[in-house]
Amino acid sequence: MHNPVKKVAAIHDLSGCGRVSLTVAIPILSAMGIQVCPLPTAVLSSHTQYPGFTFLDLTDQMPLFVDHWKQLDLKFDAIYSGFLGSSRQTAIVASLIDEFAGDGQLVVVDPVLGDNGKLYTSLDGEMIAQMRVLIRKAVVITPNLTELFMLIDKPYREQAPLDELKEYLVMLADHGPEIVIVTSVPEDRTAKTTSVVAYEKRSKRFWKVSCLYFPAHYPGTGDTFTSVITGSLMQGDSLPIALDRAVQFILMGIRATFGYEYDNRDGILLERILPTLQAPVQISSYELL
Ligand code: PXL
């Protein structure tokens, strides 16, 4: 049977409030014409940056999903994992990747661990250790700067010189992934811009996309970024175009939100900008480093 719509297995938590994880990945990938099959890792009343959140760990359910999907003989064009509910889940995700491996398949692991130098509340050192193992199975990984330092086991620094950063990207790619994309990289020449830097192992090329920095923190922008990267690569975009698309989308989301007096914990006003994902990339600003 032929299904013309591409399918992605999306392994993230479901948080009832705050625009992160599945509540971001599903609308973005659907708007990009891709069918999302969610494998929830945990169900929370809100993301972990609100106080008092409830947390239902779905570790024991996950292998049952994998078994059933196997019985149904599902085929995925991509597998995309993000926030995990326990460090045991990394092995379950690894086995799902093995079970559903396919030719030319995209495997994206967003190693969600923390931000601004800090580990997210519900996670611990064991999650970092296990995430270092899981990323070996990925084709693409998308750590932010905090997660990059955690993965290479170095103390967090707010800035890293570009040459050093490039070494770290190569170091991570040597462990397995074909493409390493690091987000939230402040630019050293001025505090007013931020950038993403990517390394593509096969061609040994580094790419950078810079954009204006807004002094506001919105949870879920990492999930938004990686969801757009996943959709874009699934549609056949080149890496630098996927980077452009994801950076522009985040910037547009921040601009759509920043002007309001607003509780930033609720994330960017995604619903206002989703339709733009159906248009081709408007402005391209990537650089080859
Ligand atoms: O966006 C990352 C993320 C995902 N899921 C949960 C979170 C966070 C960040 O705070 O708390 C539950």
Side-chain angles (χ1 to χ4, degrees):
M1 265 188 297
H2 179 66
N3 183 341
V5 173
K6 287 194 172 176
K7 238 193 204 74
V8 55
I11 313 164
H12 308 254
D13 65 282
L14 180 65
S15 285
C17 161
R19 292 193 186 88
V20 298
S21 305
L22 285 176
T23 61
V24 165
I26 296 173
I28 288 175
L29 286 156
S30 300
M32 296 178 90
I34 292 154
Q35 182 192 355
V36 180
C37 299
L39 169 40
T41 58
V43 176
L44 293 83
S45 53
S46 74
H47 63 58
T48 61
Q49 296 178 46
Y50 284 102
F53 60 88
T54 66
F55 189 105
L56 176 66
D57 177 353
L58 293 180
T59 307
D60 294 335
Q61 279 292 314
M62 290 173 66
L64 308 181
F65 269 59
V66 177
D67 290 349
H68 187 219
W69 284 358
K70 215 47 212 169
Q71 278 168 32
L72 296 176
D73 198 24
L74 295 191
K75 304 272 185 271
F76 297 110
D77 300 285
I79 296 169
Y80 163 31
S81 76
F83 178 95
L84 301 181
S86 73
S87 55
R88 273 202 295 142
Q89 292 184 3
T90 53
I92 300 169
V93 176
S95 80
L96 181 147
I97 293 169
D98 289 341
E99 293 271 356
F100 289 94
D103 278 350
Q105 191 185 47
L106 183 67
V107 178
V108 180
V109 172
D110 184 8
V112 177
L113 294 168
D115 206 359
N116 298 313
K118 294 200 189 71
L119 195 65
Y120 291 132
T121 324
S122 65
L123 308 182
D124 58 16
E126 185 57 20
M127 181 66 97
I128 301 176
Q130 295 302 326
M131 198 58 89
R132 287 186 194 129
V133 179
L134 178 59
I135 59 168
R136 291 166 191 238
K137 298 241 175 232
V139 176
V140 179
I141 61 169
T142 57
N144 58 33
L145 196 61
T146 301
E147 292 157 347
L148 172 91
F149 282 115
M150 289 174 178
L151 291 173
I152 60 170
D153 201 11
K154 288 198 188 296
Y156 173 71
R157 300 206 319 268
E158 277 179 19
Q159 277 192 342
L162 192 57
D163 285 349
E164 215 176 287
L165 197 67
K166 283 165 120 181
E167 275 174 36
Y168 298 153
L169 297 198
V170 173
M171 206 188 281
L172 283 174
D174 283 345
H175 284 113
E178 175 57 36
I179 293 171
V180 179
I181 305 172
V182 60
T183 61
S184 317
V185 181
E187 303 232 78
D188 36 23
R189 55 195 153 90
T190 150
K192 290 215 169 81
T193 57
T194 178
S195 64
V196 303
V197 178
Y199 174 61
E200 203 172 7
K201 191 160 58 178
R202 193 182 35 218
S203 64
K204 295 195 167 57
R205 287 191 291 186
F206 291 91
W207 305 98
K208 183 169 86 162
V209 177
S210 304
C211 73
L212 201 67
Y213 174 75
F214 280 84
H217 169 74
Y218 298 98
T221 48
D223 303 326
T224 302
F225 178 86
T226 308
S227 299
V228 177
I229 291 283
T230 303
S232 196
L233 293 176
M234 287 180 79
Q235 287 177 344
D237 286 336
S238 68
L239 175 60
I241 290 292
L243 297 171
D244 258 332
R245 188 184 274 283
V247 169
Q248 279 171 33
F249 188 71
I250 299 284
L251 189 60
M252 203 184 320
I254 293 176
R255 282 184 188 278
T257 317
F258 192 70
Y260 291 103
E261 286 194 28
Y262 176 81
D263 183 347
N264 289 359
R265 294 176 298 183
D266 209 11
I268 56 170
L269 297 172
L270 184 66
E271 300 74 12
R272 294 274 172 95
I273 57 165
L274 272 179
T276 66
L277 287 171
Q278 272 141 20
V281 169
Q282 308 283 317
I283 316 149
S284 188
S285 64
Y286 68 74
E287 297 168 60
L288 180 66
L289 292 178

